[in-house]
Amino acid sequence: MQLAARGVSLLFVWRWRVEGFYANQGCTNFSPTFPSTCPYVTSQQEAGSVFSSGGFSTYAAVTSYLAALPLNHTSRGRFNESGRAFPDVSAQSLWLALIVNGQLVPGGGTSQSTPIFAAAVALLNDRLIAAGRSPLGWLNPWLYSDGQIGSGWDPVSESDCAMSCADIGDDHSGYGLGTPNFPALLQVLGLA
């Protein structure tokens, strides 16, 4: 909370825990992961994996900036509906070219998509500072501000997924606001 109050952007990988898988295994309650449930961090998810999903905090209440988002989740009754929804955002990272031990290998997943989103935030901050403005800092209030929702983000669709996206058609809890659209985010920030 102190870092967020100082204007530091904190991005965390959302650990995959596929709700549908656990529901099929007889699970009656979903167990959210920390620190993605913390309201002072920006929780980030990979947008194209069959394992992509989201959740709601057991302990952190819905914040004022999340309160207006719809709750249409298909698994009602298995989570704390008054909890903070996560992830906040997604990024596409399937089929990335990675160098592992000097070899080019295909990769992807949340461990790669979070640095991709962090790079977008760094580039936005670079443009803001060059324009004599302050960096974004704590992202969540800005992400959910009136002018932002739906303005700088591409929704995740079935065609974005490698196999099948369990939460397509659900609310915020599957992929957050969506994947960043850098030119649109520059316009939202008045930098285009």
Side-chain angles (χ1 to χ4, degrees):
M1 183 165 92
Q2 291 177 355
L3 281 173
R6 296 184 76 176
V8 175
S9 299
L10 294 172
L11 304 175
F12 278 90
V13 171
W14 173 84
R15 277 186 38 217
W16 74 269
R17 185 173 281 194
V18 182
E19 294 175 355
F21 171 80
Y22 288 103
N24 291 335
Q25 303 302 313
C27 177
T28 57
N29 291 306
F30 297 136
S31 178
T33 57
F34 184 83
S36 286
T37 58
C38 177
Y40 303 105
V41 305
T42 300
S43 175
Q44 199 278 320
Q45 167 67 294
E46 201 283 321
S49 171
V50 68
F51 299 116
S52 296
S53 187
F56 297 84
S57 174
T58 302
Y59 303 106
V62 173
T63 58
S64 59
Y65 53 81
L66 279 171
L69 292 177
L71 180 61
N72 301 315
H73 202 275
T74 57
S75 300
R76 289 193 112 135
R78 294 187 181 183
F79 60 90
N80 176 15
E81 293 184 27
S82 64
R84 177 238 200 282
F86 68 96
D88 297 299
V89 296
S90 297
Q92 182 63 263
S93 70
L94 286 181
W95 314 115
L96 289 179
L98 305 174
I99 305 293
V100 178
N101 295 325
Q103 300 292 316
L104 185 65
V105 296
T110 303
S111 297
Q112 284 82 40
S113 64
T114 300
I116 289 170
F117 180 70
V121 171
L123 289 171
L124 291 171
N125 282 336
D126 184 57
R127 300 273 182 100
L128 286 165
I129 292 167
R133 295 169 55 190
S134 298
L136 293 170
W138 181 29
L139 296 175
N140 292 9
W142 173 73
L143 290 174
Y144 297 104
S145 65
D146 288 338
Q148 178 60 2
I149 294 177
S151 299
W153 306 91
D154 293 330
V156 177
S157 67
E158 187 72 36
S159 63
D160 294 324
C161 299
M163 293 181 224
S164 158
C165 294
D167 286 332
I168 292 296
D170 280 354
D171 60 293
H172 173 272
S173 63
Y175 298 97
L177 296 171
T179 60
N181 179 323
F182 192 75
L185 288 172
L186 288 175
Q187 287 183 344
V188 168
L189 289 169
L191 297 169

